[in-house]
Amino acid sequence: MPSFSDLLGLCKLKVVALILLTAVVGMFLAVPAPYFPDLILVALASLGIGLASASAAVFNHIVDEQIDLQMSRTHQRPLPQGKVSRNQALAWGVFLGVIGLGILQLFVNTITMVLTFISLIGYAVIYTMYLKRATPQNIVIGGAAGAAPPILGWTSIAGTQNIEYALLLFLIVFVWTPPHFWALAIFRVEEYRKVDVPMLPVTHGLAYTRVQILFYTILLILVTLLPYLSGMSGLIYLASALILGFIFLAYAIRIYKNPGDNQIAWRTFMFSVNYLMLLFVALLIDHYWLMTLG
């Protein structure tokens, strides 16, 4: 039997943590300040969304086992190392998914369960099994599944009420995903080429990918203005979005101007994770700061 730590190693816990952060911020923003959502409901929704996200990660590991075995970034994962069998991983993934979706259906609401299920299928099946191997736009199209958590958080508390604001959060994560992942793809381009995965740097070259990172980063800065322009957030968020956005842009420009330095791509990837975390924390702080003043 695999150890519990090996089973957890299939769940991409760092990714799930980032997913939960964006979902939880969506939950709190769904309630007008200075009020808070029901914290028990927040906990149950977070548990359900987190387990479903972990389930999608397990299925990603199963599908990508042979690819993972050939890449230095992933060959130490439990499946390539033989610490967990495919059948054990499949059972674990199904278990997590059923429990997560069950919690959402029983204790949260049906719309959140359905949207979470669609996101799970979108990532584990449509992206991992098809898009990842079919098109260099895999990250752009598949990014919709990864951008869903703010909507899941919102609907878990408010249903479809004022859901257009949740769509702004979705759009931010959706536009953030390509420059975030393409920076990693530049750093790992030879590994993706070796396993014949058509990531953008492999199919269109590094120069083209650098231009696309720059374009999407500029687009991201513009998109992050929407919560302020729509009246959803205030000056604290606006200042944070602009500062973080221009730092991200500085990284993108450095990638563009220094084609021979792969370490810049890696540092950009790492910053992009912190960028999204800090941006959503700023949304939350701004939300309750405005209410305090009011």
Side-chain angles (χ1 to χ4, degrees):
M1 290 295 293
S3 68
F4 186 62
S5 64
D6 288 331
L7 293 176
L8 287 180
L10 298 173
C11 295
K12 298 187 177 182
L13 295 182
K14 291 181 180 178
V15 176
V16 171
L18 187 58
I19 286 171
L20 283 179
L21 173 64
T22 63
V24 169
V25 170
M27 296 177 200
F28 279 85
L29 266 59
V31 177
Y35 303 105
F36 293 89
D38 183 326
L39 296 183
I40 294 177
L41 185 57
V42 168
L44 288 169
S46 298
L47 181 60
I49 295 168
L51 289 173
S53 301
S55 172
V58 174
F59 289 119
N60 175 266
H61 276 260
I62 294 170
V63 174
D64 283 352
E65 180 182 3
Q66 292 306 310
I67 291 177
D68 288 347
L69 186 61
Q70 301 175 63
M71 297 181 69
S72 62
R73 182 173 67 94
T74 57
H75 75 279
Q76 292 291 339
R77 288 175 173 176
L79 270 170
Q81 289 293 307
K83 297 177 180 178
V84 181
S85 72
R86 290 176 65 85
N87 287 340
Q88 290 167 338
L90 182 61
W92 176 237
V94 170
F95 172 77
L96 292 174
V98 169
I99 297 299
L101 294 173
I103 288 172
L104 294 175
Q105 177 62 43
L106 292 174
F107 302 109
V108 183
N109 55 46
T110 299
I111 185 171
T112 303
M113 185 279 292
V114 170
L115 291 175
T116 302
F117 178 70
I118 292 172
S119 299
L120 192 160
I121 296 299
Y123 178 75
V125 178
I126 298 175
Y127 167 72
T128 303
M129 296 186 69
Y130 174 68
L131 288 175
K132 186 173 182 178
R133 293 160 173 79
T135 170
Q137 292 299 310
N138 45 23
I139 292 301
V140 177
I141 303 170
I151 296 179
L152 305 180
W154 190 285
T155 59
S156 67
I157 301 299
T160 57
Q161 184 177 6
N162 297 323
I163 198 171
E164 63 273 13
Y165 291 118
L167 293 176
L168 297 182
L169 305 181
F170 167 90
L171 188 59
I172 289 171
V173 182
F174 181 75
V175 176
W176 164 85
T177 302
H180 158 72
F181 202 89
W182 283 336
L184 175 64
I186 285 178
F187 183 69
R188 299 289 188 183
V189 61
E190 294 305 325
E191 294 189 27
Y192 283 117
R193 183 176 286 116
K194 181 174 68 174
V195 297
D196 201 28
V197 173
M199 289 297 176
L200 195 65
V202 175
T203 60
H204 287 66
L206 296 176
Y208 179 82
T209 305
R210 292 186 186 97
V211 172
Q212 290 299 301
I213 289 174
L214 190 58
F215 168 76
Y216 271 92
T217 303
I218 294 170
L219 181 60
L220 178 63
I221 292 173
L222 297 176
V223 167
T224 56
L225 299 179
L226 294 177
Y228 175 76
L229 295 176
S230 66
M232 179 184 183
S233 298
L235 291 174
I236 291 177
Y237 167 74
L238 177 63
S240 302
L242 289 173
I243 292 170
L244 290 167
F246 282 113
I247 295 173
F248 203 159
L249 181 60
Y251 273 103
I253 291 172
R254 289 182 67 193
I255 287 179
Y256 180 75
K257 288 187 173 181
N258 298 274
D261 189 353
N262 265 8
Q263 288 301 317
I264 294 175
W266 174 252
R267 289 195 293 270
T268 302
F269 169 75
M270 295 302 296
F271 171 77
S272 68
V273 176
N274 294 324
Y275 167 90
L276 193 66
M277 291 170 51
L278 293 172
L279 188 74
F280 271 76
V281 169
L283 274 166
L284 190 59
I285 292 172
D286 180 276
H287 184 63
Y288 285 103
W289 177 264
L290 285 179
M291 288 177 250
T292 302
L293 293 180

